[in-house]
């Protein structure tokens, strides 16, 4: 009863920001992402009759506390689905997601865990079903089941049965690159889970954000089909700015940006003024991700590395969905 799965992280171009159900992890809006080949998690799950509780190793370290609880609670969901409530597992995950890159490893982490655990239990489920289960671990993780450009359909039902991700185009549709710009600034941030809840509960800008999503989605999906990079970039960048604007209206207000975050944003705009099509997006942290096309890789990398306060630039291509090893 053992299986190993590999899942990549993803970057949202239309952001998931806010839940309508905290417990089932049901979002307020559809979101759209690109799966990235440079950042992934490999997880082996072994269910053993002899175990009386789960054991979790991350990068070869035994994990306890909050991180362990999140894993074991998620395994409870899978156990109840498989009707194997007293069967515990040894989980060993290796994260190839540098924490400093500002990508939440929860997306690749929960996707790899869900895939490995369901396979180890020999559950015969579709990718759609796997995406739904994965969503219960972390919302953005449900998009990492698929490669390329992916949409998470929020669904309408109270039980979450219609809330899952679908692939729009596979990773060979279009070679779009993403540079993760790693900043030297470190500061304790508001977690995305807490940040989105506070925003939903208190920000007067939140309703406008949600209402603006359907149009952004219609436009960006067409632009992806057409491989219209300028349009994809413009919509993604504007969508990111709208998401971050909602946090300034929250009570208490907060922002994920640092001064270097803004320096990178300005430099990306300056590149565009010089004729290099590059666009930024930012998640629940200070780091910036920059979208560009392969022919501009050298210029974009060099420009980003020269910004004061930038520690590293890690580039990635469009990646695959779940694979089993
Ligand atoms: C996203 N983020 O669409 C957005 C944009 C952060 C900003 O999904 O509470 O770790 O586990 O469902 O998925 C980060 O939130 O939150 C996130 P939970 P998750 O990628």
């Amino acid at each position: 009863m053992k299986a190993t799965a590999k899942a990549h992280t993803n970057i949202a171009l239309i952001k998931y920001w806010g839940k309508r159900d905290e417990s089932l992890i049901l979002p307020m809006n559809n979101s759209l992402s690109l799966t990235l080949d440079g950042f992934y998690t490999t997880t082996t799950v072994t269910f053993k009759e002899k175990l009386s509780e789960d054991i979790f190793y991350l990068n070869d370290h035994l994990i306890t506390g909050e991180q362990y609880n999140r894993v074991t609670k998620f395994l409870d969901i899978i156990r109840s689905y498989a009707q194997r409530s007293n069967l515990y597992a040894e989980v060993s995950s290796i994260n190839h997601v540098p924490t400093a890159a500002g990508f939440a490893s929860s997306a690749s982490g929960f996707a790899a865990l869900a895939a490995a655990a369901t396979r180890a239990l020999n559950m015969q489920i579709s990718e759609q079903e796997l995406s739904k289960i994965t969503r219960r671990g972390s919302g953005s993780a449900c998009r990492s089941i698929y490669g390329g450009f992916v949409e998470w359909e929020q669904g309408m039902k109270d039980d979450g049965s219609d809330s899952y991700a679908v692939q729009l185009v596979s990773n060979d549709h279009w070679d779009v690159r993403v540079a993760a710009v790693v900043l030297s600034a470190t500061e304790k941030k508001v977690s995305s889970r807490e940040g989105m809840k506070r925003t939903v509960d208190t920000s007067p800008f939140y309703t406008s954000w949600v209402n603006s999503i359907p149009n952004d989605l219609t436009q960006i999906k067409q632009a992806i089909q057409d491989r219209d990079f300028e349009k994809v970039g413009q919509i993604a960048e504007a969508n990111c700015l709208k998401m971050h604007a909602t946090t300034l209206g929250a009570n208490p207000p907060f922002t994920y940006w640092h001064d270097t975050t803004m320096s990178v944003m300005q430099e990306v705009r300056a590149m565009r003024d010089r004729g290099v099509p590059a666009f930024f997006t930012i998640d629940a942290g200070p780091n910036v991700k920059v979208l560009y096309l392969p022919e501009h890789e050298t210029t974009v990398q060099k420009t980003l590395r020269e910004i004061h306060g930038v520690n590293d630039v890690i580039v990635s291509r469009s990646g695959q969905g779940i694979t089993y090893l």
Side-chain angles (χ1 to χ4, degrees), residues 12 15-17 19 25 70 106 138-140 143 192-193 196 243 283-284:
K15 306 292 186 190
Y16 149 49
W17 195 242
K19 297 180 181 72
I25 309 196
R70 229 178 129 180
S106 62
S138 186
S140 53
R143 300 186 304 236
S192 50
R193 200 163 272 196
M196 65 174 85
M243 180 207 113
D283 285 332

Side-chain angles (χ1 to χ4, degrees), residues 89-101:
E90 183 176 310
V91 176
S92 179
S93 285
I94 306 290
N95 251 345
H96 301 265
V97 185
T99 317

Side-chain angles (χ1 to χ4, degrees), residues 10-209:
N10 67 77
I11 178 75
L13 306 183
I14 303 296
K15 306 292 186 190
Y16 149 49
W17 195 242
K19 297 180 181 72
R20 64 185 167 89
D21 185 314
E22 299 279 328
S23 157
L24 292 174
I25 309 196
L26 298 175
M28 287 285 209
N29 62 275
N30 286 26
S31 54
L32 186 148
S33 60
L34 176 63
T35 302
L36 300 177
D37 79 339
F39 308 97
Y40 58 93
T41 302
T42 305
T43 296
T44 300
V45 176
T46 315
F47 284 94
K48 295 179 181 174
E49 302 281 357
K50 283 181 186 156
L51 287 176
S52 56
E53 59 179 10
D54 297 316
I55 305 168
F56 175 39
Y57 294 96
L58 178 60
N59 299 334
D60 295 324
H61 295 288
L62 184 66
I63 303 296
T64 55
E66 188 46 44
Q67 234 179 341
Y68 168 81
N69 292 341
R70 229 178 129 180
V71 165
T72 197
K73 269 189 193 161
F74 182 59
L75 286 172
D76 286 343
I77 290 168
I78 294 178
R79 277 187 278 264
S80 98
Y81 204 100
Q83 299 184 323
R84 298 300 301 265
S85 59
N86 291 317
L87 189 59
Y88 297 97
E90 183 176 310
V91 176
S92 179
S93 285
I94 306 290
N95 251 345
H96 301 265
V97 185
T99 317
F103 284 107
S105 51
S106 62
S108 55
F110 280 101
L113 177 58
T118 52
R119 177 64 63 103
L121 287 170
N122 203 20
M123 291 163 66
Q124 305 294 324
I125 54 170
S126 63
E127 285 191 318
Q128 186 184 100
E129 212 57 43
L130 179 61
S131 178
K132 270 189 241 176
I133 291 173
T134 304
R135 191 199 75 227
R136 303 284 305 273
S138 186
S140 53
C142 80
R143 300 186 304 236
S144 279
I145 300 305
Y146 299 98
F149 288 92
V150 178
E151 182 174 6
W152 175 8
E153 295 179 352
Q154 62 177 103
M156 301 304 289
K157 295 184 181 165
D158 288 342
D159 65 359
S161 58
D162 56 354
S163 185
Y164 49 79
V166 295
Q167 186 180 55
L168 299 173
V169 291
S170 70
N171 58 313
D172 51 14
H173 170 76
W174 195 14
D175 187 6
V176 172
R177 306 271 167 98
V178 176
V181 185
V182 182
L183 310 185
S184 41
T186 52
E187 193 179 283
K188 195 174 160 22
K189 60 170 192 171
V190 182
S191 75
S192 50
R193 200 163 272 196
E194 182 195 336
M196 65 174 85
K197 179 163 174 25
R198 193 191 300 173
T199 306
V200 173
D201 290 346
T202 65
S203 178
F205 308 149
Y206 189 73
T207 310
S208 306
W209 151 259

